[in-house]
């Protein structure tokens, strides 16, 4: 077994799940890092009618820096906006209707902190994927951890280094294949085959 330190993302990209669900990996989530901006910790990329669309959870700036203390801002109704965007993007996909009720539950989650929200959402995604991967949370920030650290391996700004096969996407006939979007994209388009697809991803360690 390998100990892997993983950031907890919002509706994570497909590559993240290839690391999270690897049976060889013992997962520890990072909760003490200083919150980095413009990352998947509070954003997810989906395939909209005009291409890649970023759904961003707004942050309440309370002066705290550790990820576990980062609070979500509810000044705007972002949950409703995200849900509408997801419905618009995927309602014509092969499997959206099948999973719609479970997806909706993600946007009924009421949590003050981003980390707690992300973990609750992950619980629902695991139910959809029919997985029960266990994990733990770290107890302190260590700059050079003993675990294999993925704190900076997933970038929302540069193309994914994980190799994955193309699959049909709702707008791919018009705009081409978009690699490594949120797990929602895979589930809506591949349905029950999603888990097999994740297992076949060539990982970039």
């Amino acid at each position: 077994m390998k100990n892997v330190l993983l950031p907890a993302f919002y509706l994570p990209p497909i590559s993240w799940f290839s690391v999270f669900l690897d049976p060889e990996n013992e997962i520890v989530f990072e909760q003490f890092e200083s919150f980095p901006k413009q990352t998947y910790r509070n954003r997810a990329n989906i395939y909209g009618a005009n291409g890649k669309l970023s759904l961003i959870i707004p942050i309440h700036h309370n002066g705290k820096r550790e990820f576990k203390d980062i609070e979500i801002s509810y000044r705007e109704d972002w949950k409703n906006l995200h849900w509408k965007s997801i419905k618009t993007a995927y309602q014509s996909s092969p499997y959206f209707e099948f999973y719609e009720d479970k997806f909706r539950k993600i946007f009924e989650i009421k949590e003050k902190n981003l980390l707690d929200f992300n973990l609750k959402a992950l619980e629902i995604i695991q139910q959809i994927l029919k997985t029960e991967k266990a994990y733990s949370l770290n107890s302190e920030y260590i700059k050079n951890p003993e675990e294999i650290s993925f704190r900076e391996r997933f970038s929302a700004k540069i193309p994914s280094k994980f190799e994955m096969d193309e699959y049909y996407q709702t707008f791919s006939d018009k705009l081409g294949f978009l690699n490594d979007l949120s797990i929602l994209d895979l589930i809506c388009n591949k349905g029950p085959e999603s888990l097999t697809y994740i297992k076949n991803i060539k990982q970039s360690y």
Side-chain angles (χ1 to χ4, degrees), residues 19-64:
V19 177
F20 177 68
L21 293 175
D22 188 328
E24 291 295 307
N25 292 345
E26 192 86 38
I27 302 297
V28 180
F29 284 139
E30 170 63 77
Q31 62 171 340
F32 288 93
E33 64 183 348
S34 183
F35 178 69
K37 295 175 184 174
Q38 298 185 333
T39 72
Y40 292 122
R41 287 158 184 81
N42 67 321
R43 74 175 57 206
N45 290 332
I46 63 171
Y47 203 146
N50 297 312
K52 189 184 289 184
L53 175 64
S54 288
L55 305 177
I56 300 169
I57 297 178
I59 299 304
H60 172 58
H61 297 284
N62 57 6
K64 296 175 181 175

Side-chain angles (χ1 to χ4, degrees), residues 86-189:
I86 288 164
K87 280 189 78 168
T88 303
Y90 294 112
Q91 58 194 356
S92 61
S93 67
Y95 293 98
F96 177 78
E97 195 176 4
F98 187 70
Y99 299 113
E100 182 176 359
D101 289 345
K102 280 202 167 74
F103 287 149
R104 188 187 289 111
K105 284 181 181 175
I106 292 170
F107 299 97
E108 293 169 0
I109 296 169
K110 294 175 182 174
E111 289 292 346
K112 181 180 177 182
N113 291 347
L114 178 63
L115 175 61
D116 296 330
F117 183 91
N118 288 355
L119 295 180
K120 285 274 178 67
L122 176 61
E123 200 176 302
I124 293 170
I125 298 296
Q126 287 226 68
Q127 289 170 13
I128 292 170
L129 293 172
K130 294 184 167 64
T131 57
E132 294 181 346
K133 178 77 175 195
Y135 58 82
S136 60
L137 295 168
N138 66 348
S139 55
E140 62 179 321
Y141 180 81
I142 298 173
K143 188 176 181 182
N144 298 305
E146 290 180 5
E147 302 95 342
I148 301 169
S149 175
F150 279 83
R151 285 189 297 223
E152 295 165 8
R153 295 283 183 96
F154 304 95
S155 173
K157 298 176 187 174
I158 59 174
S160 172
K161 292 179 181 176
F162 288 73
E163 291 179 36
M164 47 191 86
D165 294 332
E166 291 190 13
Y167 58 87
Y168 170 80
Q169 293 169 311
T170 314
F171 302 108
S172 55
D173 291 346
K174 178 182 162 190
L175 298 165
F177 178 72
L178 291 184
N179 189 45
D180 206 10
L181 296 176
S182 165
I183 189 67
L184 296 189
D185 186 83
L186 183 67
I187 292 169
C188 287
N189 290 303

